[in-house]
Amino acid sequence: MKRSVIYAHVAEAGEVGVCWGTEADNLPEPGSVVQLLKNNSITMVRIYDTNSAVINALANTGIKLMVALPNQQLDAASSPSGALQWVHDNVAKYYPSTLINGITVGNEVFDQASNLNQQLVPAMRNVYAALQTLGLDGAIKVFTPVAYSALKVSWPPSQAVFRDDIPQSVIADLVSFLRQTGAAFFINVYPFRAYLDDPNHGISLEYWTFQPNAGVTDPYTSRVYYSLYDAQMDALRYAIGRVPPAATASSLRASLAQGTGADDLLLTCSECGCSCWNFPGKHCPCQNFANGLISYTLAASTPSNSKYTASLLGSAGGGGATSAFIFALFNEDNKPGDESERDFGIFYPNMQPVYDVDFVHGSGSWCVANAAVGNTQLWAALNWSCSHGADCSAIQPGARCFSPDTMVAHATYAFNDYYQRNGQASSACDFNGAGSIVYQQPSELLAHRSIAPNKLLINNRSSIHDTTSASDENRYLRPEPRELDWACGPHGADCFDPDTKVSHAFNDCYQRNSRAASACSIVYQAPSKFTLRILMVFISNQEQIEK
């Protein structure tokens, strides 16, 4: 059966997550790791399989998860039916409790499993078709991480091209698929490796760790790059721009904006890391690199005059900033390869930091609605938050934050108000998976400041009426006011007319006090004020009014 889920498509701001690898025999159990993620405000994770213990541990946390179909299992998606079964068993059964937002199909296939080159994009298409069948294609994207070594030329960026041994038809099909589905091009890029592989140190330490430097100029475009990462991402854009159109591609290619020729694609660094191996003591540059990457990625999605972000902002077309996953969460003692491979973690296996990383960078935090859970769950969580301390008066019809009149926008306002009033505690942005913490102010809140916490005693009601119809969906429970005149909301709200004291008062007090005779002077026919709608009104707190 096709799942009915409602989504809101928004341009994603830059975000930084971590790669949670497990090639070690001394790692903590998943529940402890999830608490570590929360404690460090890490909101996005990539894993390299579909480990059920990890996926279940992330349930109801609001942390976004990228799962993987590994190279050795690519045959599972070689047919539409096989892909559907794999997605059903490894993704759909966990969603939306666990906020899976992406599937990586293969990893560095062009380098690690070139025999699968021709199978890669068909497998991606089959996985995407499975998501469509299950009604999840609006919430979960399909990607494949490409190694940066897929570029034959990367400097200067404007001359970048892909390697000759990678079939142009495969790259063209990949780019076409990503454009058709709105997915980002995933690239595993390591400025750290480029620095180590440069024996003459033409690449300065400052240049690859986001520290102030004189910059490096592309002689063909005169563009100045102030970080190696910036230059590498721009090189990828130029290389994509030189890929001939796929045989099945539409005329979209011909209408691309000028520049690198890939300005319609988002780029994501699916692995960016640094190893403290062979750097003595406190001289490890990885802290500067990791914090520089975070600062750079967050700044790339907002206006900035900084020369260190200027070149990225000039090339990140389509309004999308690049996101990144830091490799890796832990040092992994069983990683193959040279010794440095086992020292890429930002945490030791005992969960102590290798170096300090600030995933927030003073950007603040907000609680937003997760559209993927659907309107029914959003509606329940919205009313719960409005009846447990959130000030929802501003999202009533005619009020200052009623527009945009969507469930997601209104839920985001209410969730965030509740979250801010509760000290930005992570538990205050759960709502059974309907809320998620972000570190870029969402567009729904940009025009409005959060209301200062109401000092009135708010009744903690744990249940809501289930009699709402479609026309009721944008009328929400409001906090109890001090004055009787405000009992049904501001002028223009749904209870204001008729504008009399008699109409505005007391029935709610009676209903909320179990219809006790002492709570009211009772009548046994519905008053005319109440016959057209089910009132959602509030306890008249006599002690508060008298004060």
Side-chain angles (χ1 to χ4, degrees):
M1 178 181 294
K2 184 170 182 176
R3 184 177 301 182
S4 177
V5 186
I6 299 174
Y7 308 102
H9 179 74
V10 295
E12 299 241 354
E15 188 172 3
V16 179
V18 295
C19 298
W20 180 353
T22 56
E23 293 192 68
D25 55 19
N26 55 355
L27 298 181
E29 54 88 23
S32 298
V33 177
V34 169
Q35 191 57 52
L36 179 71
L37 298 173
K38 290 181 176 181
N39 292 345
N40 287 274
S41 302
I42 297 171
T43 60
M44 189 169 70
V45 173
R46 177 190 169 196
I47 60 176
Y48 293 85
D49 49 27
T50 52
N51 185 310
S52 60
V54 171
I55 297 175
N56 285 323
L58 288 165
N60 302 314
T61 63
I63 297 173
K64 294 182 282 291
L65 175 64
M66 190 85 57
V67 298
L69 176 61
N71 293 343
Q72 59 270 28
Q73 297 178 24
L74 210 61
D75 283 347
S78 61
S79 67
S81 60
L84 181 60
Q85 187 66 54
W86 186 89
V87 171
H88 179 273
D89 294 345
N90 295 281
V91 178
K93 77 175 184 180
Y94 300 109
Y95 185 88
S97 295
T98 300
L99 197 56
I100 299 172
N101 70 338
I103 301 169
T104 58
V105 176
N107 183 52
E108 298 187 348
V109 167
F110 303 143
D111 285 68
Q112 295 185 17
S114 59
N115 59 303
L116 300 175
N117 282 354
Q118 299 295 340
Q119 300 177 40
L120 176 60
V121 180
M124 295 175 71
R125 292 190 183 278
N126 288 338
V127 170
Y128 182 74
L131 291 171
Q132 288 181 306
T133 299
L134 296 169
L136 298 175
D137 55 299
I140 301 175
K141 299 293 186 183
V142 179
F143 315 91
T144 189
V146 176
Y148 195 71
S149 57
L151 296 185
K152 176 183 178 180
V153 175
S154 60
W155 182 262
S158 62
Q159 305 304 302
V161 293
F162 286 101
R163 294 198 321 256
D164 297 332
D165 63 302
I166 302 173
Q168 288 290 295
S169 61
V170 174
I171 293 289
D173 285 344
L174 173 59
V175 171
S176 176
F177 170 79
L178 297 176
R179 285 192 171 118
Q180 290 167 5
T181 61
F185 194 110
F186 270 26
I187 188 77
N188 293 348
V189 56
Y190 287 86
F192 163 76
R193 288 293 187 195
Y195 173 76
L196 290 186
D197 293 341
D198 176 27
N200 298 321
H201 295 295
I203 298 174
S204 72
L205 185 67
E206 292 76 19
Y207 182 56
W208 76 268
T209 59
F210 299 95
Q211 301 305 296
N213 62 88
V216 181
T217 303
D218 183 326
Y220 294 92
T221 64
S222 298
R223 183 187 295 277
V224 181
Y225 296 94
Y226 295 97
S227 76
L228 177 56
Y229 175 77
D230 187 353
Q232 289 176 316
M233 298 304 277
D234 226 21
L236 176 61
R237 286 194 182 278
Y238 276 104
I240 294 172
R242 290 190 169 88
V243 174
T248 58
S250 69
S251 59
L252 172 65
R253 177 70 181 169
S255 64
L256 292 179
Q258 293 183 354
T260 64
D263 290 348
D264 60 320
L265 280 179
L266 290 174
L267 305 183
T268 290
C269 181
S270 38
E271 286 183 15
C272 309
C274 174
S275 173
C276 282
W277 170 78
N278 214 28
F279 286 102
K282 297 182 179 180
H283 296 286
C284 176
C286 295
Q287 181 173 1
N288 283 340
F289 174 78
N291 286 298
L293 176 67
I294 294 169
S295 179
Y296 183 86
T297 303
L298 297 180
S301 61
T302 57
S304 172
N305 293 321
S306 169
K307 68 179 182 179
Y308 300 108
T309 60
S311 53
L312 174 64
L313 294 173
S315 63
T322 58
S323 293
F325 290 87
I326 292 178
F327 185 90
L329 184 58
F330 294 110
N331 286 341
E332 299 172 60
D333 61 358
N334 290 334
K335 283 281 289 182
D338 64 53
E339 191 174 345
S340 69
E341 290 285 350
R342 292 175 281 283
D343 287 305
F344 271 84
I346 58 176
F347 291 97
Y348 295 107
N350 64 3
M351 297 193 291
Q352 293 303 305
V354 176
Y355 47 84
D356 292 329
V357 180
D358 178 6
F359 280 87
V360 179
H361 269 55
S363 59
S365 63
W366 294 263
C367 182
V368 300
N370 172 21
V373 302
N375 271 9
T376 300
Q377 189 170 337
L378 286 181
W379 169 239
L382 171 54
N383 280 295
W384 187 93
S385 61
C386 290
S387 62
H388 283 74
D391 183 350
C392 299
S393 59
I395 53 176
Q396 304 306 316
R400 63 186 177 86
C401 299
F402 181 71
S403 181
D405 180 13
T406 67
M407 182 67 73
V408 171
H410 289 187
T412 290
Y413 185 96
F415 292 179
N416 185 64
D417 191 86
Y418 181 85
Y419 173 67
Q420 302 299 335
R421 290 168 185 266
N422 285 275
Q424 299 183 350
S426 59
S427 60
C429 185
D430 185 6
F431 305 107
N432 292 322
S436 180
I437 298 172
V438 298
Y439 296 94
Q440 297 258 331
Q441 188 168 13
S443 58
E444 294 91 341
L445 304 176
L446 284 174
H448 313 290
R449 292 184 178 180
S450 296
I451 307 300
N454 193 326
K455 294 183 180 179
L456 294 180
L457 177 64
I458 303 298
N459 177 57
N460 289 328
R461 187 163 69 177
S462 59
S463 62
I464 64 170
H465 295 293
D466 58 2
T467 54
T468 55
S469 66
S471 61
D472 296 316
E473 285 187 344
N474 288 315
R475 294 175 181 171
Y476 316 115
L477 298 172
R478 306 184 190 95
E480 296 77 52
R482 185 185 301 272
E483 296 82 17
L484 179 62
D485 298 313
W486 223 69
C488 286
H491 289 348
D494 55 342
C495 298
F496 184 74
D497 291 321
D499 182 16
T500 66
K501 291 281 197 294
V502 171
S503 298
H504 286 182
F506 304 135
N507 178 62
D508 180 71
C509 182
Y510 170 63
Q511 300 295 337
R512 290 182 183 234
N513 285 277
S514 302
R515 300 184 180 181
S518 59
C520 193
S521 177
I522 306 167
V523 296
Y524 294 94
Q525 285 189 331
S528 59
K529 297 89 178 170
F530 305 144
T531 55
L532 296 181
R533 62 172 84 82
I534 296 174
L535 288 178
M536 291 186 289
V537 292
F538 315 93
I539 290 180
S540 300
N541 189 318
Q542 190 62 40
E543 292 181 357
Q544 292 291 335
I545 293 175
E546 291 175 352
K547 290 180 181 179

